[in-house]
Amino acid sequence: MRKTIRLPRCITSVLTVALLAGLATHPGCSGERDPSTLFGPAERETVVVDAVLYVDHMLPEIFVTRTRTADAASTGDATAVNDAEVTVIQGLAEYRYASAGRRGLYVPPHGAPRVRPNTEYRLLVRALGREVRGVTRTPAPLEIDEIAVLEEPSMEIIRRLDPSSSVGNRVPYREGLIEVRFDPLDVEAYQVIVLEPGSDDGGSPPLEARDGRLLLPWFAIGSSGAHKVEVYALDRNLFDFLRSVEASGQNAFGFGSLAGDTFERPVFNLDGGIGVFGSASLDTFGFFVIPKN
């Protein structure tokens, strides 16, 4: 049975205005630095694309915005582009998006198919008198095989959780370590998001998991209640983007070893614009934390 998965708005949380504004004040970058030094003259008024495809899910909504200048973007002055032409291409099939008329939001055509694994997709955006192009190859499907609770320091299995249902997954707070296990995919890195009811989306930096194992630290988990864990396998575009905006070079989330190097300037992998056109596959599981007595 296919699990119901709530797709996040976007696993890249530093796009559009926040993308440019944060560069001037992000840890590891000087707060005194002129944002215009991070981008060339052609990028001081440009198209920003926010598009992430998820394997086995419908084609996503896409956002197209404009930053007038690097200085304007740093003060939050970014403008939606509602008259763009947005097309996603897979093989000979072209899916022309329609503008929702607000916020630069574009929606896929009715009847568009689900995103296929191990498949190349291309993006074409015509806006502001120019073209933005991107290419992504989707990862293989990610499927969590096992969730083990390990005893410290022996790392022996105390119990196993059910990947397909959270009903019986009850874990005493800070008892052992929770390890997610899956068949490793041919991707550069993974991302983990731990959610509590009412919490905002937020996730780890890109993480290496060459053996298909990821440990969840307790400081990223609440002391009681229901939790949902989302594990993403990232395509090259998302990997490059996420690792390059992790400007401090520190793994603040502590989920594992940080994958890749860091850069002052984000890696966009787009021609003619900035932002991201990438893809990911994902799986989720849930558990309930029992508080200490």
Side-chain angles (χ1 to χ4, degrees), residues 19-33:
L19 174 102
L20 296 178
L23 287 172
T25 57
H26 196 290
C29 294
S30 170
E32 302 296 324
R33 184 169 184 177

Side-chain angles (χ1 to χ4, degrees), residues 195-240:
L195 295 171
E196 297 179 68
S199 68
D200 294 328
D201 292 357
S204 71
L207 307 173
E208 293 179 341
R210 299 188 187 281
D211 57 354
R213 296 187 176 191
L214 289 172
L215 284 172
L216 307 183
W218 276 108
F219 64 75
I221 300 171
S223 60
S224 65
H227 289 72
K228 180 180 179 181
V229 178
E230 302 172 340
V231 181
Y232 297 83
L234 308 177
D235 83 322
R236 183 74 197 192
N237 293 349
L238 280 177
F239 170 62
D240 282 344

Side-chain angles (χ1 to χ4, degrees), residues 173-187:
Y173 183 59
R174 289 190 176 274
E175 181 178 288
L177 294 172
I178 300 174
E179 183 177 69
V180 184
R181 300 176 176 181
F182 49 87
D183 287 337
L185 304 182
D186 184 20
V187 296

Side-chain angles (χ1 to χ4, degrees), residues 61 72 105 157 208 211 217:
E61 297 176 342
L105 172 64
I157 296 177
E208 293 179 341
D211 57 354

